[in-house]
Amino acid sequence: MQFLSRFCALALTALSVGTTQAAEPYAAIGAPGVMLGIAQPVSDTVTVRLDLATIGTRDKSGVEQGINYKGQYKSNRTGLFADWFVAGGFRLTGGVTVNDTKFDLTAFGDGTPIKIGNTSYATTTADRFVANIKFPSTTPYIGIGWGHKMGNSGWGFVADLGASIGKATVATRVEGPLLSQVSQADLDRETQELRDGVGKVRALPQLSVGVSYQF
């Protein structure tokens, strides 16, 4: 419901722009999730757009740097874009995205040792090693796409390929009676290893397809 409420607010904003060309609602799916948006043509070569995208919250588990994790991934995005049409419906797109994208990883103690840095630490069920990975809240966007061109009334096909450019940050902590004894050197080393892995990802991709309706 919150997602739909935010979309309605964006739609009202776009409809109030006041150009002679009617706004174009659209829906798409792909990365970064389910999208709802409003496109507003301002000339025969330029369209501005607002959209919301979400995948909600997803649970994930795996192994990172030798530690078994249970994780939770969350991604919501608001985007403001400008499309420049260079050949028919083909366009170049630039803009900015406001992101709520993070991945929280937790290693739960179960009585077996957990290696943090260069040391193996004994654990109890009350022990935790937590890593929080967060993508920047505001990022530039560049991409290419198809659709939203002024004058194509009725149903249309839309597609986007691009990325929000930014590097995630990593924070870690330990909890519980045994893991509270972890040395700062080991914790720093483990954090850096995670940063080295996450640091290879410097963008959130967008690859989506959908439909639009221009009045």
Side-chain angles (χ1 to χ4, degrees):
M1 292 301 295
Q2 183 181 12
F3 178 74
L4 291 175
S5 298
R6 292 176 62 196
F7 171 71
C8 291
L10 290 177
L12 290 173
T13 300
L15 290 170
S16 66
V17 170
T19 65
T20 57
Q21 185 71 20
E24 177 196 60
Y26 63 93
I29 190 169
V34 177
M35 279 164 275
L36 296 176
I38 288 286
Q40 179 66 64
V42 296
S43 75
D44 59 352
T45 58
V46 177
T47 293
V48 294
R49 291 186 288 120
L50 288 166
D51 73 26
L52 300 174
T54 183
I55 65 167
T57 301
R58 297 287 185 270
D59 293 328
K60 182 177 177 60
S61 60
V63 178
E64 179 67 33
Q65 302 299 334
I67 297 176
N68 292 314
Y69 288 98
K70 291 184 179 179
Q72 189 176 77
Y73 179 70
K74 174 184 179 182
S75 180
N76 299 297
R77 188 208 73 185
T78 302
L80 173 62
F81 309 103
D83 299 324
W84 176 41
F85 292 89
V86 294
F90 179 77
R91 54 180 162 77
L92 305 178
T93 299
V96 62
T97 60
V98 178
N99 315 290
D100 179 15
T101 302
K102 59 184 180 179
F103 191 20
D104 297 323
L105 302 168
T106 303
F108 295 89
D110 60 2
T112 59
I114 290 179
K115 186 176 181 181
I116 299 175
N118 289 335
T119 307
S120 292
Y121 291 90
T123 66
T124 71
T125 56
D127 292 309
R128 305 285 187 272
F129 176 81
V130 181
N132 303 117
I133 301 168
K134 187 174 180 7
F135 200 74
S137 58
T138 304
T139 52
Y141 175 92
I142 57 173
I144 58 175
W146 180 273
H148 306 301
K149 185 173 175 60
M150 178 177 176
N152 296 329
S153 61
W155 290 101
F157 170 77
V158 295
D160 280 276
L161 173 63
S164 297
I165 309 300
K167 184 178 178 181
T169 59
V170 178
T172 63
R173 68 181 187 274
V174 289
E175 302 173 351
L178 293 181
L179 289 182
S180 62
Q181 304 303 312
V182 172
S183 72
Q184 189 62 49
D186 278 333
L187 185 59
D188 290 345
R189 187 174 292 108
E190 190 68 37
T191 303
Q192 189 57 51
E193 289 175 352
L194 286 167
R195 285 188 182 130
D196 290 343
V198 172
K200 297 175 183 178
V201 180
R202 297 179 179 270
L204 286 177
Q206 174 160 339
L207 176 58
S208 60
V209 295
V211 295
S212 64
Y213 190 86
Q214 191 170 124
F215 295 93

